Amino acid sequence: MSNKVFIIRGLPGAGKSNYVTLLTADLSPNDYAIHSTDHYFYSEGSYMFNPRQLEQFHQQNQAAFGKSLQKKVPLVICDNTNIEAWQIDNYVTLAKKYNYEIEVVSIGFFKSPQHQTLYANRNNHNVELGVIQSMAKKSQRFHYQQHLL
């Protein structure tokens, strides 16, 4: 089996982290690494989002992702919203550099108002419906294989 990268994409509350939990459930902790920018917003067990830190934390997440690839971790996962094609570019570039197979997985329904409301009610970071709706408007459909070439 070749080394593999999963790039997860979806709105807050769509079930990305649940999917990742299922994906890794039967694996040894040495066989995978999960990289999520959200993890950097935790302080003493509490999630404290600060938009001024977003760019810095995305860079730290990408650097950690790259280190997992360098170490040849068999399965490396990017668990971010990745709603626009450009948001996965650095992850794809790194994965290609280290000869990983790449799979982009979309979770949930981006354009469904009913699902957006559901996601607002159940997401772990208290992202409000208006923010989720704004993110959904920005979300792009793109052909993953073409985008990865």
Side-chain angles (χ1 to χ4, degrees):
M1 179 178 158
S2 64
N3 291 338
K4 192 161 190 173
V5 159
F6 273 81
I7 298 174
I8 311 300
R9 61 187 306 263
L11 295 169
K16 296 179 303 297
S17 295
N18 287 335
Y19 176 81
V20 169
T21 298
L22 291 172
L23 184 65
T24 59
D26 295 330
L27 301 176
S28 163
N30 293 330
D31 290 338
Y32 67 92
I34 302 168
H35 297 281
S36 172
T37 301
D38 277 340
H39 294 161
Y40 294 91
F41 288 102
Y42 280 93
S43 177
E44 298 178 16
S46 295
Y47 184 79
M48 305 292 290
F49 181 76
N50 181 341
R52 290 182 296 229
Q53 295 175 301
L54 191 57
E55 183 178 346
Q56 172 194 349
F57 289 168
H58 272 302
Q59 289 172 358
Q60 288 176 326
N61 192 56
Q62 289 170 11
F65 180 90
K67 286 180 183 175
S68 291
L69 299 174
Q70 283 177 320
K71 291 178 185 175
K72 298 293 183 197
V73 174
L75 175 61
V76 182
I77 301 167
C78 173
D79 180 12
N80 286 340
T81 56
N82 296 313
I83 58 172
E84 297 178 69
W86 66 268
Q87 293 171 323
I88 73 167
D89 286 344
N90 289 336
Y91 297 102
V92 168
T93 299
L94 285 166
K96 285 181 173 182
K97 177 180 176 180
Y98 293 101
N99 298 311
Y100 273 69
E101 181 182 339
I102 304 165
E103 187 167 337
V104 179
V105 179
S106 290
I107 305 294
F109 299 92
F110 289 82
K111 302 299 183 182
S112 164
Q114 294 84 1
H115 283 89
Q116 292 167 10
T117 300
L118 172 67
Y119 302 157
N121 290 330
R122 75 175 183 196
N123 75 81
N124 293 330
H125 304 303
N126 299 315
V127 180
E128 296 177 358
L129 178 59
V131 173
I132 290 174
Q133 290 169 329
S134 176
M135 292 174 77
K137 285 180 187 174
K138 293 179 190 175
S139 70
Q140 297 173 317
R141 293 183 72 121
F142 52 92
H143 187 278
Y144 305 132
Q145 294 303 321
Q146 180 181 357
H147 182 74
L148 301 178
L149 296 177

